[in-house]
Amino acid sequence: MTLIKSISGIRGTIGGAVEDNLTPIDAVKFAAAYGTWLKQQRNKENYRVVVGRDARISGEMIQSLVMNTLIGMGIHVIDLGLSTTPTVEVAVPLEHADGGIILTASHNPKQWNALKLLNHKGEFLNGVEGKKILDIAASNDMTFAEVDDLGKITKNDAYIDLHIDEVLNLPLVNKEAIEAANFKVVVDGVNSTGGIAIPLLLERLGVEPVKLYCEPTGHFPHNPEPLKEHLGDLAKAVVKEHADFGIVVDPDVDRLAFMDEKGEMFGEEYTLVACADYVLSKNPGNTVSNMSSTRALRDVTEKHGGTYEASAVGEVNVVELMKKNKVVIGGEGNGGIIYPELHYGRDALVGVALFLSLLAEKKLSVSALRATYPNYYMSKKKIQLTPQLDVDAILKTMETNYSHETLTTIDGVKIDFAENWVHLRKSNTEPIIRIYTEAQSQETADDLADRFITEIKAIANI
């Protein structure tokens, strides 16, 4: 059982002891620290926060605790109920709110939940802001409102529809071409809020959705991380239904992966590559993804005359570099599309709309589309951490051992070889070291990852 306090929020497993897990006391304490920080940003009469959640079993409990804590601080709450991370991000500026909180542990299994924190722009807090909230929580320096000054809750369940409206109003979403294509698509909503939002979006675009695990019960039917090894049922359904392709999202709908008409993965890394290819063909410019993402985005960007740059891992780091480089599209290789024309946040809904526009205009099958992109293969592995492991020392040793290669150390250690690369870093969200590699064959990528796991274990004596 685990509680991870980081600059990106608080994440933990439900049940257990205070400060060891995400208990009600921890949820209240962190919500109060956020409310305190919010009030420090601007001195005003009324404060408003948008709150939404994915369909996790613990979601209703945690959301109730968080909202009532904010009320206790005199902050008014707009309750979106069952929602998605990008929907809450879109809602914050539309509501002229001071911030937002999403109750979701993203791709983590059902025993996890988390508080993800947004600023008044509907964007994730930066490192300085996140640390300030951690400091407030640690100090217990929080003051609550008197009885006549308590906040109120206003329910608003229209925001998924409003979010879809915003997506459909984007100039590059080719609604006519999509409708004319008569697509049939299987949607795996992993029994969370993607099962609500994605079919609604498809119907509005004239696409026939076939629903698989689209009941928002929070009982995930498989590991909710949208990786090939978890998606056997989707592969069978796509083939059985003679669908044009399959869509899978994670529980809070900020990660997006596609499956082709043969039941083969399009490649989670290639979600951003395809969407960027479409956007850059209409609006040439620069792109950004994180250091653990495929080189294929660089290739596609350069094909359209733009410049690619990699950021440290983490959405806030990607967004910061996107703004600095004035990019037209960016995101993360885990299926996270960030399209600034709509908002600066990973958004599976806008990804689906852009991908459908590309597919409809090119008049290609999904497998044929995939064949038009450079072939890179990734291996994503991990080593479980124990309290005894000094991760920083391990990474420093690796840096020394490979000092003769091209190194990047803004986020762990990335080693760029001529034909492939490896990225070693400590996870922000789980007690693990991540080992990501990319090469020109799956076997080479897997072998490279295994080699580095062996080297790390030798250094750490495990």
Side-chain angles (χ1 to χ4, degrees):
M1 308 297 270
T2 312
L3 182 69
I4 300 171
K5 301 172 188 174
S6 77
I7 57 171
S8 57
I10 184 168
R11 180 183 298 239
T13 46
I14 299 298
V18 175
E19 294 197 352
D20 287 336
N21 311 89
L22 184 56
T23 69
I25 290 171
D26 296 293
V28 166
K29 186 176 185 178
F30 208 76
Y34 174 73
T36 301
W37 171 81
L38 208 67
K39 289 182 161 187
Q40 292 172 353
Q41 303 313 297
R42 288 186 282 188
N43 185 17
K44 51 190 289 203
E45 188 93 4
N46 292 307
Y47 297 88
R48 291 154 57 83
V49 172
V50 177
V51 181
R53 63 182 172 91
D54 70 14
R56 283 167 195 277
I57 299 162
S58 61
E60 199 168 355
M61 173 190 75
I62 297 292
Q63 182 172 1
S64 180
L65 289 162
V66 165
M67 291 195 305
N68 282 296
T69 301
L70 295 174
I71 286 170
M73 305 198 82
I75 295 169
H76 300 300
V77 173
I78 299 100
D79 171 15
L80 304 195
L82 285 172
S83 192
T84 77
T85 289
T87 302
V88 177
E89 291 171 350
V90 166
V92 169
L94 289 177
E95 285 287 333
H96 306 289
D98 300 284
I101 301 179
I102 308 133
L103 293 319
T104 174
S106 197
H107 62 273
N108 288 58
K110 70 177 183 179
Q111 64 268 32
W112 290 78
N113 213 330
L115 282 69
K116 288 186 175 182
L117 309 175
L118 304 175
N119 62 21
H120 69 282
K121 297 176 183 174
E123 297 168 15
F124 285 114
L125 307 188
N126 64 32
V128 173
E129 294 163 334
K131 186 178 183 306
K132 180 66 176 168
I133 290 167
L134 291 176
D135 291 344
I136 293 168
S139 69
N140 277 331
D141 186 16
M142 298 167 263
T143 305
F144 290 84
E146 295 182 13
V147 69
D148 291 328
D149 300 320
L150 297 175
K152 293 182 175 63
I153 295 176
T154 304
K155 289 188 180 295
N156 188 333
D157 59 5
Y159 262 101
I160 286 178
D161 287 318
L162 292 171
H163 182 184
I164 292 170
D165 288 344
E166 294 286 312
V167 170
L168 297 184
N169 287 335
L170 292 167
L172 291 194
V173 175
N174 192 336
K175 299 182 286 290
E176 292 77 16
I178 295 168
E179 194 164 342
N182 290 315
F183 290 122
K184 181 180 184 182
V185 178
V186 182
V187 180
D188 181 347
V190 74
N191 284 343
S192 190
T193 48
I196 302 170
I198 301 297
L200 279 174
L201 171 67
L202 294 176
E203 286 166 359
R204 295 272 303 273
L205 285 165
V207 176
E208 179 188 348
V210 178
K211 298 180 185 180
L212 177 69
Y213 306 134
C214 285
E215 289 297 318
T217 62
H219 290 283
F220 305 145
H222 53 75
N223 184 310
E225 190 161 14
L227 302 176
K228 178 181 180 179
E229 55 266 32
H230 308 146
L231 302 174
D233 290 351
L234 178 61
K236 288 175 191 165
V238 168
V239 173
K240 181 187 170 192
E241 293 286 341
H242 303 289
D244 292 286
F245 62 100
I247 292 172
V248 61
V249 292
D250 66 339
D252 68 323
V253 204
D254 61 0
R255 286 175 66 174
L256 170 66
F258 299 112
M259 184 169 278
D260 73 18
E261 73 283 359
K262 301 170 186 173
E264 297 293 330
M265 291 300 290
F266 186 75
E268 192 183 31
E269 289 287 328
Y270 284 80
T271 301
L272 177 56
V273 174
C275 290
D277 186 30
Y278 176 69
V279 171
L280 295 171
S281 72
K282 310 283 186 183
N283 183 18
N286 301 330
T287 63
V288 162
S289 64
N290 69 39
M291 290 166 57
S292 285
S293 301
T294 180
R295 282 181 179 176
L297 180 61
R298 178 198 66 185
D299 296 350
V300 165
T301 305
E302 290 173 355
K303 178 185 84 174
H304 290 290
T307 301
Y308 166 80
E309 191 174 349
S311 77
V313 173
E315 185 170 324
V316 68
N317 299 315
V318 176
V319 166
E320 188 179 329
L321 190 57
M322 285 178 69
K323 289 179 177 178
K324 180 185 169 192
N325 291 3
K326 297 182 171 61
V327 310
V328 293
I329 188 168
E332 298 189 287
N334 61 9
I337 306 297
I338 303 176
Y339 186 46
E341 185 84 7
L342 182 60
H343 67 119
Y344 277 105
R346 293 183 302 172
D347 189 331
L349 279 76
V350 78
V352 166
L354 293 172
F355 186 81
L356 282 165
S357 299
L358 171 67
L359 209 59
E361 289 190 11
K362 283 193 174 283
K363 296 182 169 64
L364 291 173
S365 67
V366 171
S367 60
L369 175 66
R370 176 64 182 81
T372 66
Y373 297 123
N375 259 335
Y376 294 107
Y377 298 84
M378 292 191 81
S379 180
K380 300 182 179 184
K381 301 197 177 188
K382 54 193 175 186
I383 298 174
Q384 202 71 29
L385 293 180
T386 62
Q388 296 78 30
L389 278 183
D390 186 343
V391 179
D392 293 333
I394 292 168
L395 295 178
K396 195 70 187 169
T397 302
M398 278 292 182
E399 187 183 335
T400 303
N401 291 351
Y402 287 91
S403 57
H404 56 287
E405 301 287 354
T406 303
L407 296 179
T408 311
T409 56
I410 58 170
D411 182 9
V413 179
K414 184 174 184 181
I415 307 161
D416 270 293
F417 303 105
E419 300 294 327
N420 45 49
W421 56 258
V422 60
H423 187 197
L424 314 168
R425 60 182 292 275
K426 186 177 177 179
S427 171
N428 293 328
T429 56
E430 297 176 70
I432 57 175
I433 297 176
R434 295 192 186 278
I435 300 99
Y436 284 11
T437 63
E438 185 172 65
Q440 291 176 346
S441 78
Q442 192 62 56
E443 186 180 3
T444 305
D446 290 338
D447 288 348
L448 187 62
D450 290 339
R451 178 185 126 197
F452 273 86
I453 288 171
T454 301
E455 289 185 25
I456 289 169
K457 287 183 173 178
I459 293 166
N461 293 315
I462 54 174

